[in-house]
Amino acid sequence: MEARKVIIIGTGPAGLTAAIYNARADLKPLVLEGHEPGGQLTLTTEVENFPGFASGVMGPELMGNMKQQAAKFGAEFLPVMCTEADLSKRPFVIKASNGQTYTAEAVIISTGASAKFLGLPHEKELTGRGVSTCATCDGFFYRDKIVHVVGGGDTAMEDATFITKFAKKVYLVHRKDTLRASKPMQERAFNNPKIEFIWDTAITEIKHSEAGVTGVVVENLKTGDKQERPTDGLFYAIGHTPNTKFLNGQLKTNEEGYLITTNDVETNIPGVFACGDVQDTYYRQAITAAGSGCQAAIKAERFLEGH
Ligand code: NDP
């Protein structure tokens, strides 16, 4: 069993920022990259709202740079998942998908939350070319375009409303004829002349060319009628799944499985910290994730000094 001071699990902006800080503090963190190295930003194209990049930066490039920066200061990366964690006592025991077991005096969990997809053919390869799971990130690219948004919760209302700042028309496709979203968010969407609701409807196919999404096939779930609709963009707003299963209930979560933190990044187990989307259901931005990664790293460093 290899002994480490800090193990960081997950490599989105939160985990990589934590790695930069802990590496610069000479803690030589071991970083388990997870199932989606670089996190959700690797699924997007241009990032225009990350401070410091006046001309924007490609998501994968930004994450690649963060990784390089952490590695330069001595963070060690492993392209593995954490399969099991025993957090019942210190040192904590972390099992990785390469069959190795490690111990750590402090653990930082930054495994993120994965956007849910519909499961349609080609949707993953079209992400960044018409399919998006992040309106804040990609809405801007749909100026004067037609967009379809899927979902009936607050995110769908918020996303559809946000995208109308740019798009000429937003169709909100929902599988029921009532919304789960809160009343004020519903009202805002109902009152927006650019938003049109398509009720009781599922998207069954994505039409595309080399350049990206060109349309969707929708099916009315009550009548069975099918229709092909042209669209430039398809935004998924059907929820996220926090990546916390591997913790087997050892840390406190809310009903949906997001880790509950106090004092910003502390979990209910001293020495185990959480940052980024795995504990944030509200902001979900790269910059807020990076900020909380910094907090987790500083908290871990001070925890180790005190123990
Ligand atoms: P929700 O889980 O609340 O809603 C998901 C929506 O997607 C539901 O309408 C659901 O349909 C639909 N859906 C799920 N799976 C599928 C599928 N396979 N096919 C078609 N439709 C599907 O997720 P949200 O992301 O909207 O919200 C998550 C949490 O974040 C909520 O607590 C919300 O209140 C909060 N939030 C708050 C905001 C704010 O206050 N500003 C903004 C955004 C989110 P169905 O209704 O039929 O189940």
Side-chain angles (χ1 to χ4, degrees):
M1 242 192 271
E2 197 180 318
R4 292 288 181 143
K5 283 184 184 141
V6 182
I7 291 183
I8 298 170
I9 307 172
T11 48
L16 290 176
T17 304
I20 293 168
Y21 272 76
N22 277 171
R24 276 194 88 237
D26 218 16
L27 293 173
K28 298 187 173 51
L30 179 68
V31 189
L32 311 188
E33 294 191 73
H35 72 287
E36 203 170 80
Q40 292 192 69
L41 278 194
T42 57
L43 300 177
T44 186
T45 48
E46 197 173 1
V47 182
E48 290 185 318
N49 54 6
F50 200 90
F53 296 90
S55 315
V57 58
M58 297 304 277
E61 185 190 346
L62 178 63
M63 302 322 294
N65 285 347
M66 283 193 196
K67 180 176 172 181
Q68 238 182 316
Q69 196 176 351
K72 183 176 85 177
F73 294 118
E76 186 185 336
F77 287 86
L78 286 179
V80 299
M81 310 251 298
C82 174
T83 52
E84 223 180 298
D86 181 356
L87 306 176
S88 58
K89 58 181 184 315
R90 283 202 312 129
F92 307 118
V93 179
I94 302 293
K95 284 190 181 161
S97 54
N98 60 357
Q100 292 282 339
T101 303
Y102 305 89
T103 62
E105 296 299 327
V107 170
I108 294 176
I109 298 168
S110 46
T111 43
S114 302
K116 288 184 193 162
F117 280 72
L118 289 173
L120 298 174
H122 309 295
E123 62 184 3
K124 290 270 166 79
E125 73 206 49
L126 289 166
T127 304
R129 289 190 296 132
V131 173
S132 172
T133 55
C134 178
T136 322
C137 320
D138 299 331
F140 183 81
F141 301 116
Y142 292 87
R143 196 173 288 282
D144 297 325
K145 304 260 164 120
I146 296 174
V147 166
H148 284 65
V149 174
V150 196
D154 281 334
T155 302
M157 299 311 113
E158 193 169 69
D159 286 3
T161 306
F162 178 75
I163 297 166
T164 59
K165 288 185 185 179
F166 314 103
K168 66 176 175 204
K169 188 80 192 171
V170 176
Y171 294 97
L172 205 146
V173 183
H174 183 40
R175 62 184 175 184
K176 291 186 184 141
D177 61 2
T178 52
L179 297 168
R180 183 193 290 227
S182 60
K183 280 281 179 275
M185 305 276 267
Q186 292 191 20
E187 287 307 319
R188 205 171 307 157
F190 288 147
N191 291 332
N192 189 318
K194 281 191 180 176
I195 300 177
E196 189 174 321
F197 283 77
I198 304 178
W199 301 106
D200 296 312
T201 297
I203 291 180
T204 56
E205 199 184 327
I206 305 173
K207 296 285 183 190
H208 60 96
S209 66
E210 271 299 297
V213 171
T214 56
V216 285
V217 177
V218 298
E219 180 180 345
N220 184 300
L221 298 170
K222 284 194 171 150
T223 62
D225 284 351
K226 285 200 167 189
Q227 187 194 9
E228 188 172 330
R229 305 177 56 84
T231 196
D232 302 298
L234 175 59
F235 282 76
Y236 287 172
I238 58 171
H240 285 76
T241 310
N243 299 313
T244 48
K245 260 203 187 129
F246 70 100
L247 295 167
N248 262 328
Q250 294 174 88
L251 295 177
K252 277 192 190 148
T253 66
N254 70 9
E255 276 171 13
E256 296 156 84
Y258 286 90
L259 296 180
I260 293 173
T261 48
T262 50
N263 298 322
D264 303 317
V265 290
E266 292 173 10
T267 70
N268 56 301
I269 297 182
V272 180
F273 304 91
C275 50
D277 285 10
V278 75
Q279 51 94 56
D280 172 18
T281 57
Y282 190 80
Y283 297 108
R284 297 174 167 154
Q285 298 302 300
I287 188 65
T288 49
S292 73
C294 163
Q295 291 174 311
I298 289 175
K299 281 267 167 97
E301 195 185 328
R302 295 200 179 144
F303 174 84
L304 292 172
E305 277 166 11
H307 291 76

